[in-house]
Amino acid sequence: MCRASQIVLPDDIKKYVDSQNYVINDIGMSESEVRIYDKYVLKIQPESEETDNEYLIVNWLGHGIPVPSIPVYCKQNGLAYTLMTKVDGEMLCAKKNLEYPGMLITIVARGLKMLWEIDVKKCPYTTSRLDERLKAAEYRVVNGLVDVEHAEPETFGPEGFKNPKELLEWLKCNRPEEDIVLTHGDLCLPNIFARDGSITGFIDLGRMGPADRWQDLAITIRSFERNFGGKYTDGKKIYDFKPEMLIDELGIAWDEQKYRYYILLDELF
């Protein structure tokens, strides 16, 4: 986590937010500090390929889908500063949204279709493709960056893989053919904002780019299961979500192989 006392804002950022009050958003992104201002969101995190990609992909998209604009992106002393316009609406995981499961499933299906309609054939940013993701996963495995403690209980251990290295080898040997669309890369409910039943914005776009559609589908289904299943409400189940509810809304076929593959790939990140 970046410490506020150690952060000196770059001059280009100060022009927009200097002396303004802000609150800290501590949902997710453990290595980041996210400051919420009246009109802007400032994300401060260690500079990386993902921080570069977020800025580049947003500019490539233009106004194709609802994402924040980024008036300033700069790097200083190993930190990346991404100043974004504030997205209207609320996270889909907000308590009042979770009270309407059918509406949420419909909203997410519309969001996925919105992404899939973007023509990515000329997209120059390919860090989201499986070749690049596996390279990034290997780097994390070799450097001991995989958080095994927070993996799904069945991923590692007696009934699963011995360690992240064995999982990585399995992923390399069992990679599926890619069905390329524009993907968000981490399409969980906190990263989708909506108001009055319509999506107002996608956030946290560092992994966005061309990839197999199941990259998003797997993460989205898992997010529904966690949010409705009680993971964040002390075990109190909210709704009996079934993956086919979303799959049927999308009008596509279930693919167990790809679902498992992309869930396991995400365990290394």
Side-chain angles (χ1 to χ4, degrees):
M1 172 72 75
C2 305
R3 296 185 180 277
S5 61
Q6 300 173 345
I7 293 173
V8 178
L9 296 183
D11 290 340
D12 288 346
I13 301 291
K14 288 181 180 179
K15 292 176 185 177
Y16 286 84
V17 300
D18 198 22
S19 300
Q20 294 184 26
N21 294 325
Y22 63 87
V23 295
I24 299 292
N25 182 345
D26 58 1
I27 298 178
M29 299 200 63
S30 60
E31 294 186 345
S32 304
E33 177 172 299
V34 181
R35 300 183 180 185
I36 310 296
Y37 296 87
D38 286 341
K39 296 181 180 179
Y40 298 100
V41 175
L42 175 61
K43 188 160 54 175
I44 307 168
Q45 58 194 315
E47 63 175 284
S48 67
E49 193 172 63
E50 286 190 12
T51 62
D52 288 342
N53 185 70
E54 182 168 37
Y55 174 68
L56 294 169
I57 202 76
V58 165
N59 281 280
W60 176 80
L61 277 170
H63 300 289
I65 58 173
V67 297
S69 62
I70 301 179
V72 182
Y73 172 68
C74 56
K75 293 179 279 189
Q76 179 176 283
N77 299 325
L79 293 177
Y81 297 79
T82 308
L83 185 71
M84 301 170 285
T85 52
K86 197 172 181 180
V87 173
D88 188 28
E90 293 183 290
M91 294 178 178
L92 290 193
C93 61
K95 183 178 179 181
K96 73 175 187 178
N97 287 330
L98 293 174
E99 293 174 355
Y100 300 94
M103 179 190 73
L104 281 193
I105 293 168
T106 298
I107 290 174
V108 171
R110 288 175 184 164
L112 284 162
K113 290 177 180 178
M114 192 185 300
L115 293 170
W116 297 348
E117 287 172 359
I118 299 293
D119 184 0
V120 294
K121 293 178 182 177
K122 295 183 179 180
C123 180
Y125 311 113
T126 60
T127 57
S128 49
R129 291 292 297 266
L130 191 50
D131 280 342
E132 300 303 317
R133 293 286 285 162
L134 288 172
K135 289 177 184 177
E138 183 165 20
Y139 176 86
R140 292 180 60 80
V141 170
V142 170
N143 289 278
L145 301 176
V146 178
D147 186 358
V148 175
E149 295 299 319
H150 287 87
E152 295 296 324
E154 65 274 11
T155 299
F156 300 107
E159 303 300 323
F161 297 93
K162 290 187 297 184
N163 50 47
K165 182 178 180 181
E166 184 177 77
L167 171 54
L168 176 63
E169 291 306 311
W170 183 91
L171 290 168
K172 289 180 178 180
C173 294
N174 292 275
R175 54 180 297 168
E177 184 177 346
E178 291 179 275
D179 172 22
I180 300 299
V181 295
L182 179 65
T183 62
H184 176 281
D186 187 20
L187 197 64
C188 51
L189 298 188
N191 287 338
I192 309 171
F193 278 63
R195 183 177 296 283
D196 298 328
S198 297
I199 291 178
T200 54
F202 299 94
I203 65 167
D204 286 347
L205 309 173
R207 299 180 185 176
M208 177 174 270
D212 190 281
R213 71 182 72 235
W214 279 89
Q215 165 64 54
D216 276 351
L217 282 168
I219 302 305
T220 302
I221 289 169
R222 185 181 66 186
S223 185
F224 270 126
E225 291 173 339
R226 288 176 171 179
N227 280 276
F228 285 137
K231 182 177 177 66
Y232 308 117
T233 53
D234 298 323
K236 183 180 179 181
K237 191 172 186 178
I238 297 173
Y239 181 67
D240 188 20
F241 173 79
K242 305 294 183 186
E244 56 265 27
M245 294 174 179
L246 177 62
I247 297 302
D248 290 347
E249 186 80 22
L250 290 165
I252 62 175
W254 176 256
D255 192 323
E256 178 66 28
Q257 177 193 9
K258 284 190 175 182
Y259 172 75
R260 180 169 185 260
Y261 186 90
Y262 284 99
I263 287 292
L264 289 173
L265 176 61
D266 193 64
E267 294 284 50
L268 300 180
F269 288 90

